Amino acid sequence: MRWWMRHEARQSERRAPIVPEDARRLIDAGFDLVVETSTRRAFPAREYAAAGCRVVPPGSWTKAPPEDWVLGLGEPPAEPWPLRHRHVFFGHAYRGRPAGAALLERFAAGGGELLDLEHLVDGKGTRLAAFGYWAGYAGAALAVLHRAGLLTLPVAPLTRPELEERLRLCRRSARAGRAVSGGAVSVLVTGADGRCGRGARDALAAADVDTTGWGPRDTTPLPRGRLLAHDVLIHAIGPDHPVPPFLTRADLSVPGRRLSLLCDISCDLGSPFDAVPVYDRLTDWDRPVRRLPGTGRPLDVIAIDNLATLLPVESSRDFSAALTPHLLALATGTTSGQEPWERSQNAFRRATAARAARRVA
């Protein structure tokens, strides 16, 4: 079984789905792992070569035999448009996002197949390999740095110790601010017990920020007034079905609104799953914070859809450690190991069948 780990097309992406130490595990198990070079990836090509991988130039996967597998994180580059291989990456193609339909068109044109990592789940629907913890950690850290006036632009990748040192600076700044103003910033984390929520709470704890965490019981029904009474909302919920919005444009005109910063970890913009439909475009690493116009009291938004790449080494190592056993199980063909991949495959086939039915109708 030959796998190609491709260079990521996205300019801001620093992560890798498989890190060199896990590449060695795959090689030792009989994998033929080909790795494309990347000047942006946090792990240099020489480390993959030392692990036994064949290293090739970016874009080489496009010439691979059709039976080969292609592994990545985000969507492949726009060319070639038809996708003829079996791909494994985060496609986000089934949540109603505008780009999802175009991605399915590419697979239809090439006859390939997507095993979306978003749908590599266990029998309870829990993702088996995810970046959620680090996305939550990074998003909350950005929110704290912005509030403290310590967010430097453009934002560059960091290690966890480097980021934690910046959060400690925020802690000292916050203490000084409380001494002057007599108050503390209040932060609300929705989805506080999930992966993203746990990461967010850990970052906030590192900065010594007062935090309230809400789970499902706290939001049914939603206490909207209490939500608006916080300074910062870290939205860390990625629902698997449409839900009533947590925050709307009408809420931004409520008298006495204290909320002034939204960090949306889920980034379901344009999707029926979007629970904070108050902004119309994502932010990025060059401009991570955007102030919404026409809201009376200012509301700043952080909505970066690859937050975990702020901490590329730690997040990649965690993700790779979780994914590698499932790649090994896929190769050995064990029944239990196949089940998560079958769920992902079935999700793709249902989506393509629904797309074909809509075309006929």
Side-chain angles (χ1 to χ4, degrees), residues 31 33 47 67 118 122 131 134 170 274:
F31 268 65
L33 183 58
E47 295 183 8
E67 65 272 15
E118 190 174 29
D122 64 16
F131 286 99
W134 295 103
C170 292
D274 186 1

Side-chain angles (χ1 to χ4, degrees), residues 211-290:
T211 304
T212 300
W214 284 0
R217 292 182 180 179
D218 302 297
T219 57
T220 309
L222 180 71
R224 195 170 302 275
R226 287 169 52 202
L227 184 152
L228 296 174
H230 289 82
D231 296 293
V232 180
L233 170 61
I234 310 292
H235 182 68
I237 296 175
D240 57 4
H241 60 279
V243 298
F246 281 58
L247 189 68
T248 68
R249 293 289 297 194
D251 295 326
L252 306 186
S253 300
V254 172
R257 168 176 61 88
R258 185 171 171 179
L259 185 69
S260 61
L261 176 60
L262 163 67
C263 178
D264 185 13
I265 310 293
S266 59
C267 291
D268 274 318
L269 178 66
S271 160
F273 301 86
D274 186 1
V276 285
V278 297
Y279 63 93
D280 60 2
R281 61 180 182 272
L282 299 174
T283 63
D284 56 40
W285 294 107
D286 291 326
R287 189 186 176 189
V289 185
R290 175 175 169 252

Side-chain angles (χ1 to χ4, degrees), residues 173-184:
S173 173
R175 287 173 178 165
R178 285 197 292 270
V180 173
S181 66

Side-chain angles (χ1 to χ4, degrees), residues 120 326 329-344:
L120 186 70
H326 296 288
L330 179 64
T332 58
T334 58
T335 301
S336 60
Q338 293 288 325
E339 289 175 359
W341 296 105
E342 289 173 355
R343 293 187 188 99
S344 183

Side-chain angles (χ1 to χ4, degrees), residues 38-84:
S38 171
T39 58
R40 299 190 296 269
R41 191 185 295 134
F43 305 89
R46 66 177 180 275
E47 295 183 8
Y48 289 98
C53 302
R54 180 158 58 98
V55 176
V56 298
S60 298
W61 67 269
T62 61
K63 301 180 178 63
E67 65 272 15
D68 288 3
W69 294 64
V70 182
L71 175 65
L73 288 176
E75 186 175 344
E79 295 296 335
W81 175 261
L83 295 173
R84 63 191 182 97

Side-chain angles (χ1 to χ4, degrees), residues 14-16 42-43 157-159 308-317:
R14 303 291 187 268
R15 295 170 294 172
F43 305 89
L158 299 167
T159 64
T309 203
L310 178 64
L311 296 157
V313 173
E314 291 89 347
S315 65
S316 295
R317 283 185 172 143

